[in-house]
């Protein structure tokens, strides 16, 4: 088990760190216009928490009846798609390389599966920490601060009510992290059931539909501040509901993952 | 006993290779999968967006003054609207659908030993050229067929009436590229746009193919055109202002016939296509020259 964790870290995490570079560059590009918007419109510099609000703000529920053009906030969409790219195909690809040898030697598919699920958690953690670090550095570079102090002008820009420090931690740290973790687990499980390409397309479909349809079942809704009970008074997406869905879905996906790998024909492999 | 020697010209070899490549592609699971994914998205769009418009046609028949114009398929098919999530999704995943049919075959041919067999009988250049042509065409077809299917389904249930700019129901605004042409000749406009989509899909396909020569991992091959497409989309959307209108440089904004970007320019589309084509070709030729079949 420990050997496999070490291997995951060496081959899965370390070798894929270059993907973070793509993410960091894109994140900076996404945030640059936001900074100028804040200065131009609100007349203030965004704080660390304002940056997070921007990334996880999302959009209000979309109504197709009004015949307006459907658009998805680019920051939110990019964050999720780059996250999927960051998870990569390692959990599936390993099954046909070193993972196969591990399975044959240990004779325990469960250990291997649990290891790969752990890999997803580690990758999610690294992604989240990297994002937070970039935001911290940007905050430092523009001379802003990290306090939980509210700026009413920026809140008005997002159409967000005042948030306490506790709200900041809950809505901008815990819930997005838990939801990203479930997204990673869902992507990995789909990868084991289908091919990597198909699971990537399914995940894109889920993300686009999340922006289109307001429903807690579509996991992308949980990472949108605009659809939470904080902004929408009648929203069913309360913090308790979000965390419960994340927990139930995460557990379910872990169990499905173990079952899928147990039943999978690990010898057969196509090159796509 | 008389021995007859046949001399096969390069042209004949090329034709044979192309034929083999096309047969392989059109019988492959990947091509079917690409079609299936594309058709699923476009059929769902038809069922959820275009088909429900039928109920309003009855109202139009009974009371002609009720509507200015009935719903037309030109505004309701997946390429004519920007309201549904399915239209957004289809134009978002175009590079992935384009890559599926054949872009990853350089890698799989090498792994399976097929490449060695071909190389020992033909010139490497012919194999690469056949791959290039077949990938370009198959990628274009894989993206176009679902669009045509959606167009035909929509045209089967909704009237074929040209949009009127005064109603404001069409997504093409007066400032959009070729707007006059769209209102005057909507069918020709649609088919020209389908051709543009075909060309760009082919381009995405061969871009994946060119990257696939250097990649030891299929994930990077199928992701490379998508990364290019998505990064352009993200950068242009983030940096776009009313003054610079840089979304016109992103294929996501101009590939849909309904034109997601307001200020698209044909010149930009041509230059971008030509530039990407040249870059891809250079990467591909270098890949071919440096390939030792190992």
């Amino acid at each position: 088990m420990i050997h496999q964790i070490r291997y995951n870290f060496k081959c899965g995490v370390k070798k894929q760190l270059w993907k973070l570079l793509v993410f960091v560059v894109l994140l900076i590009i996404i945030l640059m216009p936001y900074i100028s918007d804040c200065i131009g419109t609100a007349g203030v510099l965004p704080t660390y928490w304002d940056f997070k609000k921007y990334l996880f703000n999302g959009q209000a529920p979309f109504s197709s009846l009004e015949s307006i053009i459907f658009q998805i906030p680019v920051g939110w969409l990019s964050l999720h798609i780059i996250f999927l790219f960051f998870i990569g195909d390692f959990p599936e690809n390993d099954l046909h390389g070193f993972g196969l040898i591990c399975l044959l030697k240990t004779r325990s598919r469960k250990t291997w599966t649990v290891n790969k699920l752990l890999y997803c958690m580690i990758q999610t953690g690294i992604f989240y920490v990297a994002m937070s670090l970039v935001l911290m550095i940007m905050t430092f570079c523009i001379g802003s601060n990290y306090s939980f102090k509210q700026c009413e002008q920026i809140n008005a820009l997002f159409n967000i009510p005042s948030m306490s420090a506790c709200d900041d931690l809950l809505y901008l740290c815990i819930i997005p992290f838990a939801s990203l973790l479930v997204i990673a687990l869902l992507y990995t499980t789909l990868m084991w059931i289908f091919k990597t390409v198909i699971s990537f397309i399914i995940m894109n479909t889920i993300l686009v539909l999340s922006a289109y349809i307001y429903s807690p079942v579509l996991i992308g809704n949980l990472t949108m501040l605009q659809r939470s009970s904080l902004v929408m008074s009648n929203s069913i997406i309360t913090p308790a509901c979000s965390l419960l869905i994340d927990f139930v879905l995460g557990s379910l996906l872990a169990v499905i993952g173990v079952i899928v790998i147990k039943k999978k024909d690990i010898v057969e492999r196509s090159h796509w | 006993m008389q021995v007859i020697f046949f001399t096969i010209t390069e042209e004949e070899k090329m034709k044979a290779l192309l034929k083999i490549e096309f047969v392989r592609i059109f019988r492959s699971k990947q091509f079917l999968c690409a079609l299936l994914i594309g058709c699923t998205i476009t059929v769902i769009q038809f069922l959820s967006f275009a088909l429900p418009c039928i109920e309003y046609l009855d109202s139009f028949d009974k009371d002609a003054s009720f509507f200015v114009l009935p719903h037309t398929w030109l505004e309701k098919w997946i390429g004519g609207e920007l309201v549904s999530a399915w239209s957004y999704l289809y134009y978002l995943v175009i590079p992935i659908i384009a890559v599926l049919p054949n872009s990853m075959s350089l890698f799989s041919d090498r792994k399976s030993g097929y490449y060695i067999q071909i190389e020992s009988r033909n010139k490497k250049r012919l194999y690469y050229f056949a791959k290039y042509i077949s990938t370009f065409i198959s990628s274009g077809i894989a993206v176009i067929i679902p669009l045509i299917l959606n167009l035909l389904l929509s045209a089967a249930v909704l009237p074929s009436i040209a949009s009127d700019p005064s109603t404001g129901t069409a997504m093409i605004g007066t400032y959009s590229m070729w707007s006059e042409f769209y209102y005057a000749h909507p069918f020709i406009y649609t088919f020209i746009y389908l051709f543009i989509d075909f060309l760009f899909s082919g381009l995405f396909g061969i871009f994946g193919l060119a990257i696939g020569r250097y990649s030891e991992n299929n994930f990077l091959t199928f992701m490379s055109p998508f990364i290019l497409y998505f990064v352009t989309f993200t950068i242009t959307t983030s940096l776009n202002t009313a003054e610079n209108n840089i979304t016109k440089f992103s294929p996501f904004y101009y590939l849909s016939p309904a034109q997601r970007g307001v200020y698209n320019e044909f010149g930009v589309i041509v230059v971008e296509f030509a530039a990407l084509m040249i870059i891809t070709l250079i990467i591909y030729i270098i890949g071919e020259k440096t390939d030792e079949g190992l």
Side-chain angles (χ1 to χ4, degrees):
Chain A
M1 181 83 169
I2 293 164
H3 279 294
Q4 286 193 40
I5 292 174
R6 207 181 291 160
Y7 168 75
N8 279 346
F9 194 77
K10 198 177 168 188
C11 292
V13 180
K14 262 185 174 176
K15 280 190 178 173
Q16 307 208 30
L17 278 179
W18 64 270
K19 289 177 186 171
L20 272 181
L21 194 71
V22 180
F23 169 60
V24 169
V25 172
L26 268 185
L27 196 59
I28 293 168
I29 291 169
I30 292 165
L31 291 175
M32 287 301 234
Y34 167 63
I35 298 168
S36 60
D37 260 10
C38 284
I39 297 167
T41 317
V44 284
L45 284 169
T47 62
Y48 171 75
W49 294 100
D50 290 330
F51 280 127
K52 277 205 161 176
K53 274 180 205 166
Y54 174 68
L55 289 176
F56 291 110
N57 190 40
Q59 63 184 16
F62 178 77
S63 169
S64 59
L65 298 171
E66 291 164 16
S67 282
I68 47 170
I69 295 175
F70 174 63
Q71 279 171 325
I72 302 178
V74 70
W76 180 86
L77 185 67
S78 306
L79 191 81
H80 288 79
I81 288 183
I82 297 166
F83 176 63
L84 295 177
F85 175 63
F86 186 64
I87 296 291
D89 68 336
F90 179 70
E92 207 269 333
N93 207 21
D94 183 58
L95 191 59
H96 308 285
F98 181 77
L100 192 64
I101 299 164
C102 279
L103 287 173
L104 291 171
K105 294 222 168 183
T106 58
R107 291 189 171 190
S108 170
R109 294 191 179 201
K110 199 173 155 188
T111 315
W112 183 86
T113 317
V114 171
N115 253 293
K116 289 295 163 279
L117 296 176
L118 276 175
Y119 160 82
C120 284
M121 290 181 187
I122 294 167
Q123 284 286 79
T124 311
I126 291 172
F127 182 83
Y128 203 80
V129 169
M131 181 190 72
S132 303
L133 274 176
V134 173
L135 298 185
M136 275 181 180
I137 293 166
M138 285 200 79
T139 311
F140 178 76
C141 288
I142 62 169
S144 189
N145 62 59
Y146 305 93
S147 72
F148 291 108
K149 206 178 137 193
Q150 296 288 306
C151 174
E152 292 306 321
Q153 293 97 316
I154 290 182
N155 280 348
L157 203 70
F158 289 124
N159 191 25
I160 294 172
S162 288
M163 288 170 80
S164 64
C166 186
D167 285 338
D168 277 342
L169 286 172
L170 188 64
Y171 287 99
L172 300 172
C173 280
I174 300 168
I175 294 174
F177 180 75
S179 303
L180 282 178
L181 195 62
V182 175
I183 288 172
L185 291 177
L186 180 61
Y187 177 51
T188 307
T189 312
L190 285 172
M191 230 187 287
W192 288 332
I193 300 171
F194 306 105
K195 308 275 178 196
T196 314
V197 187
I198 297 169
S199 60
F200 188 78
I201 292 177
I202 294 174
M203 288 311 296
N204 273 296
T205 310
I206 290 171
L207 288 175
V208 173
L209 285 183
S210 297
Y212 194 72
I213 303 165
Y214 170 63
S215 162
V217 182
L218 289 164
I219 194 83
N221 277 288
L222 306 183
T223 56
M224 287 194 198
L225 202 57
Q226 282 292 328
R227 297 185 183 183
S228 66
S229 56
L230 185 84
V231 178
M232 289 170 66
S233 53
N234 55 350
S235 172
I236 44 170
I237 306 174
T238 57
C241 169
S242 300
L243 292 173
L244 184 72
I245 289 171
D246 286 337
F247 179 74
V248 172
L249 208 58
S251 312
L252 199 69
L253 286 166
V255 173
I256 291 171
V258 171
I259 294 169
V260 167
I261 292 296
K262 213 167 187 180
K263 305 259 176 199
K264 199 175 168 77
D265 178 0
I266 52 171
V267 180
E268 191 199 10
R269 189 197 188 180
S270 61
H271 294 292
W272 65 288
Chain B
M1 198 174 80
Q2 192 182 4
V3 180
I4 303 165
F5 289 100
F6 291 102
T7 318
I8 305 171
T9 60
E10 272 202 5
E11 198 180 319
E12 283 168 331
K13 276 187 179 177
M14 187 69 229
K15 274 183 190 169
L17 271 176
L18 270 174
K19 196 180 166 190
I20 292 167
E21 281 299 321
F22 277 119
V23 170
R24 285 180 74 204
I25 292 168
F26 293 130
R27 286 183 184 172
S28 68
K29 280 183 190 170
Q30 290 95 312
F31 184 73
L32 275 178
C33 185
L35 280 185
L36 196 70
I37 291 166
C39 290
T40 307
I41 297 172
T42 56
V43 169
I44 293 175
Q45 188 275 347
F46 166 73
L47 294 174
S48 63
F49 193 78
L51 197 62
C53 295
I54 296 177
E55 64 176 294
Y56 302 109
L57 294 177
D58 290 340
S59 322
F60 182 77
D61 287 341
K62 286 170 195 158
D63 182 8
S65 62
F66 184 62
F67 289 113
V68 180
L69 278 173
H71 292 294
T72 155
W73 67 263
L74 283 159
E75 295 167 7
K76 298 295 169 189
W77 77 291
I78 198 163
E81 57 96 3
L82 302 171
V83 181
S84 76
W86 302 105
S87 160
Y88 193 97
L89 179 68
Y90 192 78
Y91 284 96
L92 184 70
V93 298
I94 270 185
I96 302 176
I97 296 174
V99 159
L100 270 175
N102 202 35
S103 299
M104 291 177 275
S105 62
L106 268 182
F107 177 76
S108 56
D109 281 359
R110 216 171 269 270
K111 285 272 172 189
S112 64
Y114 175 84
Y115 175 68
I116 299 290
Q117 295 294 325
I118 290 287
E119 203 205 7
S120 60
R121 291 166 173 81
N122 296 287
K123 280 183 183 168
K124 190 173 62 178
R125 184 171 51 85
L126 294 181
Y127 167 78
Y128 268 84
F129 187 69
K131 221 34 158 185
Y132 191 83
I133 299 290
S134 58
T135 304
F136 187 91
I137 293 171
S138 61
S139 298
I141 290 173
V143 169
I144 286 300
I145 286 181
L147 285 176
I148 292 175
L149 174 73
N150 182 275
L151 188 151
L152 292 175
L153 286 172
S154 305
V157 295
L158 292 171
S160 186
I161 303 166
S163 305
D164 190 328
S166 61
T167 60
T169 50
M171 289 293 160
I172 310 289
T174 43
Y175 292 104
S176 302
M177 181 180 81
W178 297 342
S179 59
E180 284 178 21
F181 187 58
Y182 171 76
Y183 288 109
H185 307 284
F187 306 117
I188 302 172
Y189 171 91
T190 305
F191 287 107
I192 289 176
Y193 238 103
L194 283 177
F195 185 65
I196 292 174
D197 287 356
F198 175 87
L199 291 178
F200 270 89
S201 309
L203 181 65
F204 291 135
I206 55 168
F207 185 76
L209 186 76
I211 298 295
R213 161 68 187 87
Y214 302 94
S215 168
E216 281 298 309
N217 186 348
N218 263 341
F219 182 69
L220 203 65
T221 309
F222 96 76
M223 280 297 279
S224 53
F226 182 77
I227 292 169
L228 181 78
Y229 186 72
F230 190 72
V231 166
T232 324
F233 162 66
T234 306
I235 293 174
T236 54
T237 311
S238 299
L239 303 180
N240 186 54
T241 59
E243 292 82 39
N244 62 24
N245 292 314
I246 59 163
T247 51
K248 66 186 172 198
F249 294 103
S250 166
F252 180 76
Y253 283 96
Y254 59 69
L255 281 187
S256 169
Q259 296 186 39
R260 207 165 275 277
V262 185
Y263 299 99
N264 292 330
E265 285 175 26
F266 186 59
V268 173
I269 298 174
V270 172
V271 170
E272 210 160 279
F273 179 79
L276 277 172
M277 198 74 182
I278 291 165
I279 293 167
T280 307
L281 200 62
I282 292 168
I283 297 172
Y284 194 67
I285 289 170
I286 294 170
E288 188 250 318
K289 298 279 181 212
T290 53
D291 186 5
E292 289 169 357
L294 299 171

